[in-house]
Amino acid sequence: MSTHFVPENLPTHIQHFINGKFVDSINGATFDVLDPVTNKTYATAAAGQKEDIDAAVAAAREAFVNGPWPKMKPRERARILNKIADAVEAQESRLAEMETFDTGLPITQAKGQALRAAENFRFFADLIVAQFDDAMKVPGSQINYVNRKPIGVAGLITPWNTPFMLESWKLAPALATGNTVVLKPAEFTPLSASLWADIFTEAGVPAGVFNLVNGLGEEAGDALVKHPEVPLISFTGETTTGQTIFRNAAEHLKGLSMELGGKSPCVIFADADLDAAIDSALFGVFSLNGERCTAGSRILVERPVYDEFCERYAARAKTIVVGDPHDPKTQVGALVHPEHFKKVASYVEIGKTEGRLLAGGGRPEGLEEGNYIAPTVFADVAPDARIFQEEIFGPVVAITPFDTEAEALELANNTKYGLAAYIWTSDLTRAHNFAQNTEAGMVWLNSHNVRDLRTPFGGVKASGLGHEGGYRSIDFYTDQQAVHITLGKVHTPKFGTDDAAKVDG
């Protein structure tokens, strides 16, 4: 096997970034960071505790109250956001190498994530310059206008799948709208997050506007969620963690935006373009190592094409290239961490009792080390099976037949989740009606997940709370204050006088 690629200038210790400076935890705590190909520790990271979060929030609060950032004109902030995007694009290759090394994502897919991160900053730079607020008039009587204001310190908690891109998704709108931030990246993947500090500083982001605290969810994340001076929490991650955050945010009535788990259906009708559907359904669950919240991990196929679909899909799944994430030929790399590998491997074993194994089923031959699982396909999976109902978050797919459109809709909606759905049919009327009756925050017709940044992103049911994306992100990160101006004489009942009895209505 080829020598495992290690990026140049890899840090051996990853620090927090608070008030413009790299610092260790106040109590000196650290945790180990593993490389998923060898599962060896390549670095330690500062493990943030409550006192580190307190220091970061204090810096962010000071930068918000007394610093220039919230008071800058939108164009000034937009210029800095565009410099950030330029810097991300300029080091795209290095970012991709580090992301691949840290997460196990194939290098070709990591490169796309860096460019998407840059585009998030450009998009919100454009949006805040073009932003205008509503005004409502009653001629001769009243004008009402909406004054948008940044809210304060935003707490951003991000996951380990495509971490750099998902961090940009929160950082860009939070900063664009004039808030200051404390970012708590996932403990499995702190490497690429550590790059933001220098990128922001060189772009001209003032000290204290961006703060980064590494650490475990139950320590650093918990302290951030409970901090009384953090009015906003944006979280992407697993549903049970989201429920904990919801409970802990209640005391201070925080604004919450949560994009949680998914078990998205990919529904294939007999009249679909089967070649395109197979391409898309393969990419939709096996790209990003299957570690994607919007994965179409339940494939529902109409009976007349079911056998052909299963046979062709499984044959293709067996030829997917699994291997070293840094090899450009690799299509599925190593899962992020041994803990996650164990979880996905246990679902593969459960699947062998719940469905007919058509491809994969465990570790690929020749890859004895590292967190590798072959693309795994189960057919004839019953709707109450665990692999049909539970989020696996790996390269594992369940295929189930259906006979009628009504049955397909029932199967599509038959989980606690409701993030995405994918529908394949050439019948336009059916496509729209089925899409609108599907319990999902986002639906793609005859396509995998190709998203316009202007559209709302979010789920229903156990898949989330609120939406981000486009103006929905601006709405989340700002307060909309209504200001009322009277233009004419106002009739006011005169309490405490004889005229008080003349109150209208």
Side-chain angles (χ1 to χ4, degrees), residues 451-463:
R451 189 171 155 263
D452 184 319
L453 289 178
R454 294 169 295 183
T455 59
F457 187 103
V460 297
K461 302 197 290 189
S463 287

Side-chain angles (χ1 to χ4, degrees), residues 21-331:
K21 295 188 176 67
F22 287 101
V23 293
D24 280 320
S25 291
I26 292 166
N27 72 352
T30 64
F31 61 94
D32 289 343
V33 189
L34 308 182
D35 138 34
V37 170
T38 65
N39 284 329
K40 290 179 179 154
T41 300
Y42 73 86
T44 56
Q49 313 295 311
K50 182 179 181 297
E51 58 267 27
D52 303 301
I53 290 289
D54 288 346
V57 173
R61 183 75 192 148
E62 172 64 23
F64 183 76
V65 175
N66 296 315
W69 189 252
K71 301 171 191 74
M72 278 185 184
K73 289 187 172 65
R75 174 69 73 191
E76 292 174 358
R77 280 203 300 269
R79 279 198 184 105
I80 292 174
L81 295 176
N82 276 311
K83 282 183 186 168
I84 293 167
D86 291 341
V88 170
E89 284 177 352
Q91 47 182 304
E92 181 212 346
S93 295
R94 174 159 172 73
L95 275 168
E97 282 175 359
M98 291 175 85
E99 192 84 316
T100 290
F101 182 80
D102 203 23
T103 65
L105 285 182
I107 186 72
T108 51
Q109 295 167 40
K111 282 187 173 167
Q113 300 300 317
L115 292 176
R116 187 71 161 180
E119 181 56 28
N120 280 327
F121 280 92
R122 293 206 195 286
F123 176 82
F124 284 105
D126 291 344
L127 215 55
I128 54 162
V129 173
Q131 171 77 44
F132 59 90
D133 291 321
D134 296 326
M136 290 130 284
K137 295 183 286 187
V138 182
S141 173
Q142 199 177 47
I143 291 177
N144 313 282
Y145 69 87
V146 177
N147 174 40
R148 277 188 189 268
K149 303 197 289 187
I151 294 174
V153 180
L156 312 178
I157 303 175
T158 51
W160 47 255
N161 58 314
T162 63
F164 192 79
M165 193 280 289
L166 284 174
E167 287 149 14
S168 76
W169 200 334
K170 300 180 189 302
L171 287 165
L175 294 174
T177 46
N179 299 283
T180 58
V181 303
V182 177
L183 169 66
K184 205 298 279 183
E187 57 264 33
F188 286 174
T189 55
L191 182 60
S192 61
S194 67
L195 300 173
W196 287 118
D198 286 338
I199 289 171
F200 285 170
T201 303
E202 285 164 27
V205 176
V209 171
F210 166 75
N211 303 275
L212 166 71
V213 179
N214 290 297
L216 309 184
E218 52 271 32
E219 294 172 356
D222 187 62
L224 185 58
V225 169
K226 290 175 178 171
H227 200 292
E229 292 195 319
V230 179
L232 289 177
I233 297 289
S234 176
F235 170 74
T236 299
E238 195 256 338
T239 296
T240 50
T241 310
Q243 290 167 325
T244 303
I245 288 172
F246 204 164
R247 278 191 290 272
N248 290 338
E251 186 183 349
H252 298 290
L253 299 172
K254 298 188 182 220
L256 287 176
S257 174
M258 299 203 286
E259 193 255 288
L260 306 175
K263 191 74 179 174
S264 301
C266 175
V267 183
I268 297 167
F269 287 95
D271 65 352
D273 176 340
L274 208 55
D275 292 338
I278 287 168
D279 287 344
S280 183
L282 282 159
F283 181 80
V285 78
F286 297 128
S287 58
L288 306 179
N289 298 349
E291 297 166 323
R292 54 186 306 166
C293 41
T294 54
S297 53
R298 293 182 298 133
I299 304 179
L300 312 175
V301 186
E302 195 169 6
R303 188 85 60 182
V305 292
Y306 181 73
D307 290 341
E308 182 191 351
F309 179 90
C310 288
E311 188 182 325
R312 290 176 60 190
Y313 189 89
R316 286 276 295 278
K318 287 173 186 171
T319 65
I320 289 173
V321 180
V322 185
D324 190 316
H326 287 280
D327 185 338
K329 294 191 198 76
T330 293
Q331 294 167 321

